[in-house]
Amino acid sequence: MLSNNLDLAENSIKDAQKRFSELRNRVLEARFYTCDCFTEDIGNYIEPKDYEADLASIQFALHYAFESEDKIRKLLSNVSAHLKEGGVFIGTTTNALYLKKKLSIAPDLEFGNSVYNVRFEKKVCDGVYGQKYWFYLLDAISDCPEYLVHFPTLVSLSKEYGLELLFKKGFHEFYIENLLKGQFKELLFVMKVIDQEGLGPGSEEWEAAGN
């Protein structure tokens, strides 16, 4: 099996290469590329050029593409061009409805707790693209500009590129439904989401995870 891995940040690619090299009993071949999947054709980077994947994955990054229509279209074009017929595209992203609800009840343009902080440019965010906010996550992300994902637009644009929505669920609901399933519980422990006693995120981490 072959895994092509792309990221705009060269340091992130180097970190990923290092982590992969330290894995034991590797079951696939991995290749790593520094590339902007939102503005460039990934076919100019990956090998082989006609590579088609069974699975395409974008984790906690899709919302950056909603800076503009051109960027989200380029992302979907890249996915569609290199995904096999019947292949699956999975991703995790922010919940715009949840963020807008939190903003609506906040006394000003920001909200959060000791774990995270979200700061908007304006109180009303009704546009489709370029609805910017800044996100801080303790020990991970420092005041990074992000963009609200207009999910109906994501679904409709995806259809234009031959992609059909099969599954959508919030983090809280997905976590609760799968926590007690053996393979998922073991993975959550390895990822340090739960401890040896099976205790999960605290209230502030739970809030930071959205809904």
Side-chain angles (χ1 to χ4, degrees):
M1 291 188 292
L2 171 63
S3 171
N4 276 309
N5 305 272
L6 305 99
D7 197 288
L8 174 62
E10 185 175 359
N11 287 340
S12 295
I13 287 295
K14 289 180 178 178
D15 288 343
Q17 287 176 307
K18 182 177 183 295
R19 291 196 301 271
F20 182 77
S21 68
E22 295 170 349
L23 288 176
R24 298 180 179 179
N25 303 318
R26 294 195 292 268
V27 297
L28 54 78
E29 175 188 356
R31 297 172 182 173
F32 300 86
Y33 308 92
T34 301
C35 167
D36 186 349
C37 301
F38 305 154
T39 62
E40 302 176 89
D41 290 325
I42 65 174
N44 295 330
Y45 293 84
I46 61 175
E47 294 290 346
K49 300 297 184 184
D50 59 351
Y51 173 74
E52 289 188 329
D54 295 293
L55 173 70
S57 171
I58 181 168
Q59 302 302 315
F60 300 104
L62 189 148
H63 40 281
Y64 298 116
F66 262 81
E67 181 179 4
S68 68
E69 182 176 351
D70 286 344
K71 287 190 173 184
I72 188 62
R73 282 188 177 276
K74 176 57 69 176
L75 169 64
L76 295 172
S77 174
N78 277 324
V79 170
S80 180
H82 296 282
L83 194 63
K84 288 181 180 178
E85 185 74 24
V88 177
F89 174 42
I90 64 173
T92 53
T93 190
T94 54
N95 184 333
L97 295 179
Y98 175 75
L99 291 173
K100 290 169 72 172
K101 180 180 179 181
K102 295 283 287 186
L103 175 63
S104 70
I105 60 177
D108 48 30
L109 295 177
E110 63 182 309
F111 54 87
N113 56 38
S114 66
V115 173
Y116 83 103
N117 180 268
V118 175
R119 174 170 51 88
F120 278 85
E121 290 186 311
K122 54 189 178 181
K123 196 71 171 178
V124 178
C125 302
D126 290 335
V128 174
Y129 305 105
Q131 303 302 299
K132 184 188 290 187
Y133 61 91
W134 283 263
F135 180 60
Y136 162 83
L137 184 64
L138 182 66
D139 297 330
I141 300 173
S142 180
D143 209 31
C144 179
E146 300 184 353
Y147 301 89
L148 294 177
V149 174
H150 192 269
F151 205 81
T153 297
L154 175 61
V155 173
S156 63
L157 288 180
S158 296
K159 287 183 179 180
E160 293 185 28
Y161 294 91
L163 302 169
E164 179 183 355
L165 179 64
L166 300 177
F167 178 87
K168 173 193 174 188
K169 189 157 291 189
F171 287 127
H172 286 178
E173 185 179 1
F174 187 85
Y175 175 85
I176 292 170
E177 287 183 358
N178 293 283
L179 175 60
L180 298 180
K181 296 180 180 178
Q183 70 272 31
F184 295 122
K185 188 172 184 179
E186 181 179 350
L187 181 59
L188 288 170
F189 174 73
V190 171
M191 296 173 65
K192 299 181 180 180
V193 177
I194 60 175
D195 60 22
Q196 292 181 336
E197 297 179 353
L199 297 177
S203 60
E204 293 197 336
E205 289 89 352
W206 187 250
E207 180 186 344
N211 70 353

